[in-house]
Amino acid sequence: MSASNALEQIELHKALAPRYAYRYSFEFSRLFQEDWHREMLRLLPEKSERVLDLGCGTGFFLAELEALRPGAVGLDISHAMLRVSEQYVPGARLVTADAERLPFRDRSFDAIFCKGSLHHTRDHVRFLSNCARALRSNGVLIMSEPCNDNFLIRWARAAMYRVSKHFHPDDKGFTKTGLVALMERAGFEITYAGRYGFFAYIFAGFPDHIGILRWVPGNAWIVRRMLALDRWICSTRFLRILSFQVVVSGRPRRS
Ligand SMILES: C[S@@+](CC[C@H](N)C(=O)[O-])C[C@H]1O[C@@H](n2cnc3c(N)ncnc32)[C@H](O)[C@@H]1O
């Protein structure tokens, strides 16, 4: 990662840490996040023991990982984010570092999760190659990243990233085929590529930005219905392009 991008990401996420704590403080938004986590966790092989959450942020996902696989490790470039993680996940090992320079021995982990951190970096292949090296032979990388397949979403995301001080203008989403290609270039064999999130992503994902559900009675019930609808949308051939996230997993190819 360029030193200037690293510093800018640290600065950006310093301001975001309290917002994330607020974001996850509503039952309806936690319902959404937990559903998103399940979508990633179902790709975790049963036998995997050592797991890493790369770009763990305030630790909301890491807390689930730690409950499932005690001794989970969370890494983030932002110390401010990790200070919130300490409260959520007192048992986990937290490491402040740049994902483009992983401070772990080769073949240290059975699974690496990456929920929304790759698009903050600039050398994606290097980031992913580091993951391949840090995984054991049968290990798996499980990612969820912003999906830009739909031109409306691509446009809205680019506009928001440019205008809002809570985003970095150089961060970009991926197309599904683009992310798959990056992983293959970094030495992964793809084991799953799918899509996630539409209505619940918009209305329950970011109450710090789109807060309308905070004021609606029965918001948890509404989010459950949205999640069911989103699952249907993401399984439908002509509608799944609407998804906001792409979920991809892969195993390192060993020669
Ligand atoms: C969109 S947030 C997602 C946080 C968390 N995974 C979640 O779902 O709540 C992205 C995270 O990636 C971290 N990040 C950005 N660039 C990074 C890098 N080069 N190395 C490690 N973490 C990075 C940020 O500090 C931030 O916590």
Side-chain angles (χ1 to χ4, degrees):
M1 164 179 279
S2 75
S4 67
N5 183 55
L7 290 174
E8 284 163 19
Q9 294 289 345
I10 290 168
E11 215 36 54
L12 176 79
H13 286 93
K14 199 183 279 178
L16 284 178
R19 285 183 78 92
Y20 271 57
Y22 174 78
R23 180 178 296 177
Y24 298 142
S25 67
F26 301 94
E27 186 199 357
F28 73 85
S29 72
R30 284 199 302 271
L31 268 175
F32 163 71
Q33 295 290 339
E34 282 159 11
D35 186 81
W36 189 357
H37 298 167
R38 270 194 297 280
E39 182 67 15
M40 299 178 75
L41 286 169
R42 72 190 178 82
L43 301 168
L44 177 67
E46 231 170 75
K47 283 197 179 136
S48 37
E49 286 168 11
R50 293 262 304 154
V51 299
L52 167 67
D53 185 5
L54 205 48
C56 63
T58 50
F60 197 65
F61 181 46
L62 182 63
E64 280 190 46
L65 281 182
E66 168 64 15
L68 284 171
R69 300 290 192 275
V73 180
L75 178 144
D76 204 284
I77 201 167
S78 160
H79 190 61
M81 288 296 228
L82 289 181
R83 278 178 46 200
V84 183
S85 273
E86 271 171 0
Q87 298 161 25
Y88 269 126
V89 215
R93 200 181 130 207
L94 300 174
V95 181
T96 310
D98 184 345
E100 287 185 41
R101 293 188 187 81
L102 285 186
F104 305 113
R105 285 204 196 100
D106 290 0
R107 305 184 186 221
S108 296
F109 296 98
D110 298 304
I112 299 180
F113 286 90
C114 169
K115 180 173 167 248
S117 50
L118 179 69
H119 71 285
H120 291 293
T121 64
R122 299 295 166 256
D123 190 343
H124 299 139
V125 174
R126 180 168 173 179
F127 178 115
L128 294 167
S129 306
N130 283 340
C131 292
R133 260 199 308 279
L135 281 169
R136 293 177 179 157
S137 299
N138 253 345
V140 62
L141 171 65
I142 302 166
M143 321 195 64
S144 183
E145 286 292 328
C147 180
N148 267 355
D149 277 335
N150 178 324
F151 80 94
L152 277 177
I153 292 177
R154 185 163 60 240
W155 175 83
R157 194 169 257 141
M160 194 151 102
Y161 283 13
R162 246 195 327 271
V163 170
S164 167
K165 65 179 187 333
H166 300 301
F167 296 92
H168 194 293
D170 295 337
D171 291 351
K172 294 194 173 53
F174 300 92
T175 61
K176 187 172 144 202
T177 48
L179 185 55
V180 164
L182 281 172
M183 283 181 66
E184 285 175 342
R185 269 178 63 197
F188 282 92
E189 179 192 334
I190 304 301
T191 49
Y192 174 81
R195 295 162 188 282
Y196 183 79
F198 186 62
F199 286 110
Y201 185 87
I202 300 172
F203 291 106
F206 311 92
D208 49 319
H209 292 290
I210 301 172
I212 185 164
L213 275 186
R214 280 177 302 169
W215 317 110
V216 178
N219 48 22
W221 183 89
I222 294 170
V223 169
R224 282 195 188 91
R225 303 284 87 72
M226 286 179 173
L227 287 169
L229 182 58
D230 288 357
R231 256 190 296 281
W232 177 76
I233 288 174
C234 289
S235 69
T236 311
R237 193 161 168 218
F238 295 109
L239 293 179
R240 62 187 176 206
I241 197 166
L242 294 174
S243 74
F244 275 85
Q245 287 279 314
V246 56
V247 176
V248 181
S249 71
R251 292 186 184 283
R253 278 192 307 266
R254 302 277 190 231
S255 43

